[in-house]
Amino acid sequence: MRVAVAGCCHGELDKIYETLALAEKRGPGPIDLLLCCGDFQAVRNEADLRCMAVPPKYRHMQTFYRYYSGEKKAPVLTIFIGGNHEASNHLQELPYGGWVAPNIYYLGLAGVVKYRGVRIGGISGIFKSHDYRKGHFECPPYNPATIRSIYHVRNIEVYKLKQLKQPMDIFLSHDWPRSIYHYGDKKQLLKTKSFFRQEVENNTLGSPAASELLEHLKPTYWFSAHLHVKFAALMQHQAKDKEQTAKATKFLALDKCLPHRDFLQVIEIEHDPSASEYLEYDIEWLTVLRATDDLINVTGRLWNMPENNGLHTRWDYSATEEAMNKVLEILNHDLRVPCNFSITAACYDPSRPQTQMQLVHRINPQTTEFCAQLGITDINVRLQKAKEEHHLCGEYEEQEDLESNDSGEDRSEYNTDTSALSSINPDEIMLDEEEEDEDSIVSTHSDMNTPSVEPSSDQASDFSASFSDVRILPGSMTVSSDDTLGSPDGREGKPGEALELEDGKDLTEMPLKRLSDEHEPEQRKKIKRRNQAIYAAVDDDDAA
């Protein structure tokens, strides 16, 4: 099965699908599946734009609304997770996943599905330590704090995923697992992104929660985005006992969707030829959802997941055969994901812009149907009830005041905050353009120990080359060969072809020249913040 993987989409669906069409013409066959690693931006209308954590001047409608309205249809099944620049109110309607448009499926806050026998899991958002132990308390309309915290990973999602025991083929996360950079060509990474050096040396770059999941799930493939650079790594896990074969995870991070950027990769994945051609629920995951339903928390108070420490009557929520059979009976042994997409909000009309469109906290019929069938809680229904009873959505400001003191209390089981880079990333801008957050300075070492085997530099280089797919651009994204850093001996490369260099490496492995609309360092001195000419917005807490 040919699977395409995209990095940060930033709403550029048309260009991504155009690129896929071009790849199909030049490649050995059709693309069967597209996986997107966050910043998807499923923006339906002007109200959705206001829920996206970027400065107003970077809020652009892009093209998703055409797929939502039915004007266009995704040419290939598309599965995505959320990042830190999303229409959060839209994705919040589907906490357990669902269709955001025909043939475009969101995995939810965390989720696992199967397609053609390939097991695909993912977790949405990015890690932020001071929100990690909170419940999902945010709801529209968001305030300046909750518009950011809404996309921060929570411990309950990680806890659910850690109950899984069956093998995972593919896993998606937006931010990188911490320490993964030690298993690839770290030298080349730091050459391309020199401002990562401090975090890499201190081992604070990336998400410790994702690192924990990587060590537990040990998927065959792990795909990420967020840091806007292509990076491949091979992580060799240690076997628990001598009788087991040690597993390995092939990690690949991809760039954002721009010309001359490595935002797309096509790979061949083994699948079950006898498996169905439609998207299926994963029975083990559904069973875990049922088992952990009582753990749902819609408050902003800090709390810990159950563990075997003498304080909890139950700490193992993994799926038993009996429990899985019960779920199968509930579903009448039909695991097919129903094609039950429905429009829940007005769609953007270019001829009739509505800048004052009301923002509503909606209950999505897909989620209602899913929860009723499985017998679990719709988080949004509980949120609405809690809001009516306790005005829960106004609770955040008080908690921020309480938790922002310097009491030294550990805000999560991880002692560092890795949602931001301590260095300024020139490929990003700040959400708050007038001040830096003291939180963004990270200097302590990670407490995460990953008992895995680091490869030699030669192994890392060899593995990175295995992901050096040719960069194929549709006509709308093609630029002249003069923009490609110059060929070594005056040769010109055609779009979509890799230039062979003297040392045997191809052009896709070289740092890429910025486009003309991206400011060079000397130009950036003339503006207050970096790289404001293109959209790559992050806030000061969540800078990548």
Side-chain angles (χ1 to χ4, degrees), residues 170-232:
I170 298 172
F171 197 83
L172 310 177
S173 69
H174 188 57
D175 49 357
W176 298 14
R178 179 184 290 181
S179 303
I180 193 65
Y181 32 84
H182 295 309
Y183 301 91
D185 193 343
K186 185 164 53 178
K187 182 178 179 181
Q188 179 61 41
L189 174 65
L190 294 179
K191 182 179 179 181
T192 307
K193 299 280 187 179
S194 59
F195 37 84
F196 290 170
R197 183 171 297 280
Q198 180 183 343
E199 286 72 34
V200 168
E201 291 178 350
N202 292 341
N203 201 34
T204 56
L205 177 64
S207 165
S211 181
E212 189 175 331
L213 286 174
L214 173 59
E215 187 58 38
H216 175 81
L217 297 172
K218 299 178 176 61
T220 305
Y221 292 93
W222 185 299
F223 302 119
S224 297
H226 193 45
L227 298 183
H228 298 168
V229 63
K230 184 177 182 179
F231 178 76

Side-chain angles (χ1 to χ4, degrees), residues 142-154:
Y142 306 113
N143 61 38
T146 57
I147 198 173
R148 305 184 195 187
S149 66
I150 181 68
Y151 54 73
H152 292 156
V153 170
R154 305 300 157 89

